[in-house]
PDB file of all heavy atoms in Angstrom:
ATOM      1  N   GLY A  67     -30.713  22.011  29.182  1.00 87.00           N
ATOM      2  CA  GLY A  67     -30.745  20.554  29.298  1.00 87.00           C
ATOM      3  C   GLY A  67     -32.125  19.982  29.022  1.00 87.00           C
ATOM      4  O   GLY A  67     -33.147  20.668  29.131  1.00 87.00           O
ATOM      5  N   GLU A  68     -32.143  18.720  28.682  1.00 90.00           N
ATOM      6  CA  GLU A  68     -33.363  18.016  28.328  1.00 90.00           C
ATOM      7  C   GLU A  68     -34.384  18.091  29.460  1.00 90.00           C
ATOM      8  O   GLU A  68     -34.081  17.807  30.616  1.00 90.00           O
ATOM      9  CB  GLU A  68     -33.035  16.538  28.015  1.00 90.00           C
ATOM     10  CG  GLU A  68     -34.177  15.769  27.418  1.00 90.00           C
ATOM     11  CD  GLU A  68     -34.568  16.266  26.032  1.00 90.00           C
ATOM     12  OE1 GLU A  68     -33.668  16.627  25.248  1.00 90.00           O
ATOM     13  OE2 GLU A  68     -35.773  16.299  25.748  1.00 90.00           O
ATOM     14  N   GLY A  69     -35.604  18.500  29.121  1.00 90.00           N
ATOM     15  CA  GLY A  69     -36.698  18.536  30.088  1.00 90.00           C
ATOM     16  C   GLY A  69     -36.642  19.700  31.067  1.00 90.00           C
ATOM     17  O   GLY A  69     -37.447  19.770  31.989  1.00 90.00           O
ATOM     18  N   ARG A  70     -35.690  20.591  30.908  1.00 86.00           N
ATOM     19  CA  ARG A  70     -35.587  21.734  31.815  1.00 86.00           C
ATOM     20  C   ARG A  70     -35.964  23.006  31.074  1.00 86.00           C
ATOM     21  O   ARG A  70     -35.721  23.120  29.873  1.00 86.00           O
ATOM     22  CB  ARG A  70     -34.152  21.840  32.339  1.00 86.00           C
ATOM     23  CG  ARG A  70     -33.735  20.573  33.121  1.00 86.00           C
ATOM     24  CD  ARG A  70     -32.308  20.656  33.531  1.00 86.00           C
ATOM     25  NE  ARG A  70     -32.135  21.770  34.469  1.00 86.00           N
ATOM     26  CZ  ARG A  70     -31.096  21.917  35.263  1.00 86.00           C
ATOM     27  NH1 ARG A  70     -30.118  21.043  35.230  1.00 86.00           N
ATOM     28  NH2 ARG A  70     -31.004  22.945  36.073  1.00 86.00           N
ATOM     29  N   PRO A  71     -36.547  23.981  31.767  1.00 82.00           N
ATOM     30  CA  PRO A  71     -36.897  25.230  31.088  1.00 82.00           C
ATOM     31  C   PRO A  71     -35.642  26.001  30.696  1.00 82.00           C
ATOM     32  O   PRO A  71     -34.596  25.831  31.318  1.00 82.00           O
ATOM     33  CB  PRO A  71     -37.705  25.993  32.148  1.00 82.00           C
ATOM     34  CG  PRO A  71     -37.268  25.425  33.456  1.00 82.00           C
ATOM     35  CD  PRO A  71     -36.891  23.988  33.186  1.00 82.00           C
ATOM     36  N   PRO A  72     -35.751  26.833  29.681  1.00 85.00           N
ATOM     37  CA  PRO A  72     -34.592  27.635  29.295  1.00 85.00           C
ATOM     38  C   PRO A  72     -34.170  28.567  30.421  1.00 85.00           C
ATOM     39  O   PRO A  72     -34.981  28.986  31.242  1.00 85.00           O
ATOM     40  CB  PRO A  72     -35.079  28.449  28.094  1.00 85.00           C
ATOM     41  CG  PRO A  72     -36.408  27.912  27.731  1.00 85.00           C
ATOM     42  CD  PRO A  72     -36.912  27.093  28.858  1.00 85.00           C
ATOM     43  N   VAL A  73     -32.898  28.872  30.456  1.00 79.00           N
ATOM     44  CA  VAL A  73     -32.360  29.820  31.424  1.00 79.00           C
ATOM     45  C   VAL A  73     -32.479  31.212  30.806  1.00 79.00           C
ATOM     46  O   VAL A  73     -32.174  31.400  29.623  1.00 79.00           O
ATOM     47  CB  VAL A  73     -30.873  29.512  31.718  1.00 79.00           C
ATOM     48  CG1 VAL A  73     -30.263  30.568  32.616  1.00 79.00           C
ATOM     49  CG2 VAL A  73     -30.734  28.131  32.338  1.00 79.00           C
ATOM     50  N   THR A  74     -32.930  32.179  31.587  1.00 78.00           N
ATOM     51  CA  THR A  74     -32.999  33.553  31.096  1.00 78.00           C
ATOM     52  C   THR A  74     -32.229  34.461  32.030  1.00 78.00           C
ATOM     53  O   THR A  74     -32.068  34.174  33.218  1.00 78.00           O
ATOM     54  CB  THR A  74     -34.456  34.057  30.997  1.00 78.00           C
ATOM     55  OG1 THR A  74     -35.048  34.035  32.291  1.00 78.00           O
ATOM     56  CG2 THR A  74     -35.270  33.195  30.049  1.00 78.00           C
ATOM     57  N   ASP A  75     -31.760  35.551  31.494  1.00 72.00           N
ATOM     58  CA  ASP A  75     -31.064  36.561  32.273  1.00 72.00           C
ATOM     59  C   ASP A  75     -31.153  37.858  31.493  1.00 72.00           C
ATOM     60  O   ASP A  75     -31.373  37.866  30.287  1.00 72.00           O
ATOM     61  CB  ASP A  75     -29.602  36.157  32.477  1.00 72.00           C
ATOM     62  CG  ASP A  75     -28.969  36.886  33.664  1.00 72.00           C
ATOM     63  OD1 ASP A  75     -29.642  37.743  34.270  1.00 72.00           O
ATOM     64  OD2 ASP A  75     -27.816  36.596  33.964  1.00 72.00           O
ATOM     65  N   GLY A  76     -30.987  38.941  32.162  1.00 63.00           N
ATOM     66  CA  GLY A  76     -30.967  40.217  31.459  1.00 63.00           C
ATOM     67  C   GLY A  76     -32.281  40.959  31.629  1.00 63.00           C
ATOM     68  O   GLY A  76     -33.053  40.627  32.491  1.00 63.00           O
ATOM     69  N   PRO A  77     -32.562  41.969  30.817  1.00 57.00           N
ATOM     70  CA  PRO A  77     -31.788  42.313  29.628  1.00 57.00           C
ATOM     71  C   PRO A  77     -30.462  42.980  29.961  1.00 57.00           C
ATOM     72  O   PRO A  77     -30.310  43.554  31.028  1.00 57.00           O
ATOM     73  CB  PRO A  77     -32.709  43.305  28.903  1.00 57.00           C
ATOM     74  CG  PRO A  77     -33.523  43.915  29.981  1.00 57.00           C
ATOM     75  CD  PRO A  77     -33.687  42.850  31.037  1.00 57.00           C
ATOM     76  N   PHE A  78     -29.539  42.847  29.045  1.00 57.00           N
ATOM     77  CA  PHE A  78     -28.227  43.450  29.188  1.00 57.00           C
ATOM     78  C   PHE A  78     -28.077  44.608  28.219  1.00 57.00           C
ATOM     79  O   PHE A  78     -28.674  44.622  27.154  1.00 57.00           O
ATOM     80  CB  PHE A  78     -27.123  42.423  28.892  1.00 57.00           C
ATOM     81  CG  PHE A  78     -27.116  41.281  29.849  1.00 57.00           C
ATOM     82  CD1 PHE A  78     -27.385  40.007  29.425  1.00 57.00           C
ATOM     83  CD2 PHE A  78     -26.841  41.492  31.194  1.00 57.00           C
ATOM     84  CE1 PHE A  78     -27.381  38.949  30.310  1.00 57.00           C
ATOM     85  CE2 PHE A  78     -26.820  40.438  32.088  1.00 57.00           C
ATOM     86  CZ  PHE A  78     -27.101  39.155  31.644  1.00 57.00           C
ATOM     87  N   ALA A  79     -27.250  45.554  28.535  1.00 54.00           N
ATOM     88  CA  ALA A  79     -27.010  46.708  27.672  1.00 54.00           C
ATOM     89  C   ALA A  79     -26.489  46.292  26.304  1.00 54.00           C
ATOM     90  O   ALA A  79     -26.695  46.985  25.325  1.00 54.00           O
ATOM     91  CB  ALA A  79     -26.025  47.659  28.336  1.00 54.00           C
ATOM     92  N   GLU A  80     -25.829  45.137  26.220  1.00 50.00           N
ATOM     93  CA  GLU A  80     -25.253  44.724  24.946  1.00 50.00           C
ATOM     94  C   GLU A  80     -26.295  44.618  23.841  1.00 50.00           C
ATOM     95  O   GLU A  80     -25.980  44.763  22.686  1.00 50.00           O
ATOM     96  CB  GLU A  80     -24.532  43.374  25.076  1.00 50.00           C
ATOM     97  CG  GLU A  80     -23.239  43.448  25.849  1.00 50.00           C
ATOM     98  CD  GLU A  80     -23.436  43.291  27.343  1.00 50.00           C
ATOM     99  OE1 GLU A  80     -24.591  43.256  27.824  1.00 50.00           O
ATOM    100  OE2 GLU A  80     -22.429  43.208  28.047  1.00 50.00           O
ATOM    101  N   THR A  81     -27.560  44.349  24.188  1.00 46.00           N
ATOM    102  CA  THR A  81     -28.573  44.251  23.143  1.00 46.00           C
ATOM    103  C   THR A  81     -29.482  45.462  23.137  1.00 46.00           C
ATOM    104  O   THR A  81     -29.565  46.169  22.160  1.00 46.00           O
ATOM    105  CB  THR A  81     -29.423  42.976  23.292  1.00 46.00           C
ATOM    106  OG1 THR A  81     -30.005  42.958  24.588  1.00 46.00           O
ATOM    107  CG2 THR A  81     -28.605  41.743  23.053  1.00 46.00           C
ATOM    108  N   LYS A  82     -30.165  45.722  24.226  1.00 47.00           N
ATOM    109  CA  LYS A  82     -31.199  46.755  24.187  1.00 47.00           C
ATOM    110  C   LYS A  82     -30.644  48.144  23.953  1.00 47.00           C
ATOM    111  O   LYS A  82     -31.306  48.979  23.353  1.00 47.00           O
ATOM    112  CB  LYS A  82     -32.067  46.728  25.438  1.00 47.00           C
ATOM    113  CG  LYS A  82     -31.409  47.296  26.676  1.00 47.00           C
ATOM    114  CD  LYS A  82     -32.398  47.333  27.817  1.00 47.00           C
ATOM    115  CE  LYS A  82     -31.755  48.018  28.985  1.00 47.00           C
ATOM    116  NZ  LYS A  82     -32.471  49.138  29.475  1.00 47.00           N
ATOM    117  N   ASP A  83     -29.445  48.431  24.419  1.00 56.00           N
ATOM    118  CA  ASP A  83     -28.893  49.763  24.225  1.00 56.00           C
ATOM    119  C   ASP A  83     -28.128  49.899  22.917  1.00 56.00           C
ATOM    120  O   ASP A  83     -27.807  51.005  22.520  1.00 56.00           O
ATOM    121  CB  ASP A  83     -27.960  50.130  25.389  1.00 56.00           C
ATOM    122  CG  ASP A  83     -28.724  50.360  26.678  1.00 56.00           C
ATOM    123  OD1 ASP A  83     -29.940  50.592  26.603  1.00 56.00           O
ATOM    124  OD2 ASP A  83     -28.100  50.311  27.741  1.00 56.00           O
ATOM    125  N   LEU A  84     -27.807  48.804  22.276  1.00 68.00           N
ATOM    126  CA  LEU A  84     -26.990  48.878  21.079  1.00 68.00           C
ATOM    127  C   LEU A  84     -27.789  48.747  19.787  1.00 68.00           C
ATOM    128  O   LEU A  84     -27.610  49.518  18.866  1.00 68.00           O
ATOM    129  CB  LEU A  84     -25.903  47.805  21.105  1.00 68.00           C
ATOM    130  CG  LEU A  84     -24.875  47.920  22.224  1.00 68.00           C
ATOM    131  CD1 LEU A  84     -23.850  46.813  22.103  1.00 68.00           C
ATOM    132  CD2 LEU A  84     -24.195  49.275  22.190  1.00 68.00           C
ATOM    133  N   ILE A  85     -28.652  47.753  19.704  1.00 79.00           N
ATOM    134  CA  ILE A  85     -29.323  47.461  18.440  1.00 79.00           C
ATOM    135  C   ILE A  85     -30.691  48.148  18.399  1.00 79.00           C
ATOM    136  O   ILE A  85     -31.563  47.853  19.187  1.00 79.00           O
ATOM    137  CB  ILE A  85     -29.465  45.946  18.222  1.00 79.00           C
ATOM    138  CG1 ILE A  85     -28.079  45.294  18.239  1.00 79.00           C
ATOM    139  CG2 ILE A  85     -30.177  45.672  16.910  1.00 79.00           C
ATOM    140  CD1 ILE A  85     -28.114  43.786  18.254  1.00 79.00           C
ATOM    141  N   ALA A  86     -30.843  49.075  17.455  1.00 83.00           N
ATOM    142  CA  ALA A  86     -32.075  49.848  17.340  1.00 83.00           C
ATOM    143  C   ALA A  86     -33.054  49.221  16.359  1.00 83.00           C
ATOM    144  O   ALA A  86     -34.263  49.348  16.515  1.00 83.00           O
ATOM    145  CB  ALA A  86     -31.746  51.268  16.883  1.00 83.00           C
ATOM    146  N   GLY A  87     -32.560  48.566  15.350  1.00 89.00           N
ATOM    147  CA  GLY A  87     -33.429  47.964  14.347  1.00 89.00           C
ATOM    148  C   GLY A  87     -32.608  47.465  13.182  1.00 89.00           C
ATOM    149  O   GLY A  87     -31.376  47.580  13.169  1.00 89.00           O
ATOM    150  N   TRP A  88     -33.312  46.920  12.188  1.00 92.00           N
ATOM    151  CA  TRP A  88     -32.622  46.325  11.057  1.00 92.00           C
ATOM    152  C   TRP A  88     -33.495  46.377   9.821  1.00 92.00           C
ATOM    153  O   TRP A  88     -34.709  46.547   9.910  1.00 92.00           O
ATOM    154  CB  TRP A  88     -32.239  44.882  11.366  1.00 92.00           C
ATOM    155  CG  TRP A  88     -33.384  44.062  11.871  1.00 92.00           C
ATOM    156  CD1 TRP A  88     -33.744  43.893  13.179  1.00 92.00           C
ATOM    157  CD2 TRP A  88     -34.337  43.340  11.111  1.00 92.00           C
ATOM    158  NE1 TRP A  88     -34.857  43.105  13.257  1.00 92.00           N
ATOM    159  CE2 TRP A  88     -35.245  42.756  12.003  1.00 92.00           C
ATOM    160  CE3 TRP A  88     -34.521  43.136   9.748  1.00 92.00           C
ATOM    161  CZ2 TRP A  88     -36.315  41.971  11.583  1.00 92.00           C
ATOM    162  CZ3 TRP A  88     -35.584  42.358   9.336  1.00 92.00           C
ATOM    163  CH2 TRP A  88     -36.465  41.782  10.251  1.00 92.00           C
ATOM    164  N   MET A  89     -32.847  46.228   8.680  1.00 95.00           N
ATOM    165  CA  MET A  89     -33.535  46.109   7.404  1.00 95.00           C
ATOM    166  C   MET A  89     -32.764  45.089   6.584  1.00 95.00           C
ATOM    167  O   MET A  89     -31.535  45.066   6.612  1.00 95.00           O
ATOM    168  CB  MET A  89     -33.566  47.456   6.677  1.00 95.00           C
ATOM    169  CG  MET A  89     -34.314  47.425   5.363  1.00 95.00           C
ATOM    170  SD  MET A  89     -34.397  49.054   4.568  1.00 95.00           S
ATOM    171  CE  MET A  89     -35.563  49.878   5.651  1.00 95.00           C
ATOM    172  N   VAL A  90     -33.497  44.243   5.882  1.00 96.00           N
ATOM    173  CA  VAL A  90     -32.881  43.276   4.983  1.00 96.00           C
ATOM    174  C   VAL A  90     -33.198  43.720   3.563  1.00 96.00           C
ATOM    175  O   VAL A  90     -34.355  44.003   3.233  1.00 96.00           O
ATOM    176  CB  VAL A  90     -33.402  41.846   5.237  1.00 96.00           C
ATOM    177  CG1 VAL A  90     -32.809  40.868   4.216  1.00 96.00           C
ATOM    178  CG2 VAL A  90     -33.071  41.401   6.652  1.00 96.00           C
ATOM    179  N   ILE A  91     -32.173  43.794   2.741  1.00 97.00           N
ATOM    180  CA  ILE A  91     -32.335  44.160   1.340  1.00 97.00           C
ATOM    181  C   ILE A  91     -31.811  43.019   0.469  1.00 97.00           C
ATOM    182  O   ILE A  91     -30.994  42.215   0.908  1.00 97.00           O
ATOM    183  CB  ILE A  91     -31.604  45.483   1.009  1.00 97.00           C
ATOM    184  CG1 ILE A  91     -30.113  45.388   1.353  1.00 97.00           C
ATOM    185  CG2 ILE A  91     -32.266  46.652   1.738  1.00 97.00           C
ATOM    186  CD1 ILE A  91     -29.292  46.601   0.914  1.00 97.00           C
ATOM    187  N   ASP A  92     -32.305  42.958  -0.755  1.00 97.00           N
ATOM    188  CA  ASP A  92     -31.871  41.953  -1.720  1.00 97.00           C
ATOM    189  C   ASP A  92     -31.510  42.708  -2.988  1.00 97.00           C
ATOM    190  O   ASP A  92     -32.388  43.226  -3.688  1.00 97.00           O
ATOM    191  CB  ASP A  92     -33.012  40.957  -1.971  1.00 97.00           C
ATOM    192  CG  ASP A  92     -32.557  39.698  -2.670  1.00 97.00           C
ATOM    193  OD1 ASP A  92     -31.359  39.582  -3.016  1.00 97.00           O
ATOM    194  OD2 ASP A  92     -33.402  38.809  -2.882  1.00 97.00           O
ATOM    195  N   VAL A  93     -30.226  42.837  -3.253  1.00 97.00           N
ATOM    196  CA  VAL A  93     -29.740  43.710  -4.322  1.00 97.00           C
ATOM    197  C   VAL A  93     -28.822  42.963  -5.282  1.00 97.00           C
ATOM    198  O   VAL A  93     -28.381  41.860  -5.001  1.00 97.00           O
ATOM    199  CB  VAL A  93     -29.002  44.935  -3.724  1.00 97.00           C
ATOM    200  CG1 VAL A  93     -29.967  45.814  -2.946  1.00 97.00           C
ATOM    201  CG2 VAL A  93     -27.853  44.508  -2.822  1.00 97.00           C
ATOM    202  N   ASP A  94     -28.522  43.604  -6.403  1.00 96.00           N
ATOM    203  CA  ASP A  94     -27.703  42.987  -7.446  1.00 96.00           C
ATOM    204  C   ASP A  94     -26.220  42.968  -7.139  1.00 96.00           C
ATOM    205  O   ASP A  94     -25.486  42.182  -7.726  1.00 96.00           O
ATOM    206  CB  ASP A  94     -27.919  43.705  -8.780  1.00 96.00           C
ATOM    207  CG  ASP A  94     -29.287  43.411  -9.370  1.00 96.00           C
ATOM    208  OD1 ASP A  94     -29.811  42.302  -9.143  1.00 96.00           O
ATOM    209  OD2 ASP A  94     -29.831  44.290 -10.056  1.00 96.00           O
ATOM    210  N   SER A  95     -25.768  43.885  -6.256  1.00 94.00           N
ATOM    211  CA  SER A  95     -24.329  43.972  -6.034  1.00 94.00           C
ATOM    212  C   SER A  95     -24.016  44.586  -4.677  1.00 94.00           C
ATOM    213  O   SER A  95     -24.858  45.257  -4.069  1.00 94.00           O
ATOM    214  CB  SER A  95     -23.676  44.830  -7.125  1.00 94.00           C
ATOM    215  OG  SER A  95     -24.116  46.176  -6.995  1.00 94.00           O
ATOM    216  N   TYR A  96     -22.790  44.371  -4.244  1.00 94.00           N
ATOM    217  CA  TYR A  96     -22.301  44.994  -3.014  1.00 94.00           C
ATOM    218  C   TYR A  96     -22.329  46.515  -3.151  1.00 94.00           C
ATOM    219  O   TYR A  96     -22.661  47.229  -2.208  1.00 94.00           O
ATOM    220  CB  TYR A  96     -20.885  44.491  -2.724  1.00 94.00           C
ATOM    221  CG  TYR A  96     -20.249  45.126  -1.511  1.00 94.00           C
ATOM    222  CD1 TYR A  96     -20.697  44.825  -0.227  1.00 94.00           C
ATOM    223  CD2 TYR A  96     -19.198  46.026  -1.659  1.00 94.00           C
ATOM    224  CE1 TYR A  96     -20.111  45.415   0.888  1.00 94.00           C
ATOM    225  CE2 TYR A  96     -18.603  46.615  -0.544  1.00 94.00           C
ATOM    226  CZ  TYR A  96     -19.069  46.304   0.725  1.00 94.00           C
ATOM    227  OH  TYR A  96     -18.490  46.885   1.826  1.00 94.00           O
TER     228      TYR A  96
END
Side-chain angles (χ1 to χ4, degrees):
E68 190 66 38
R70 299 176 64 163
V73 174
T74 61
D75 200 356
F78 297 116
E80 288 87 353
T81 56
K82 75 175 185 124
D83 290 341
L84 297 181
I85 302 171
W88 51 269
M89 182 177 288
V90 176
I91 57 174
D92 195 358
V93 294
D94 288 329
S95 67
Y96 177 71

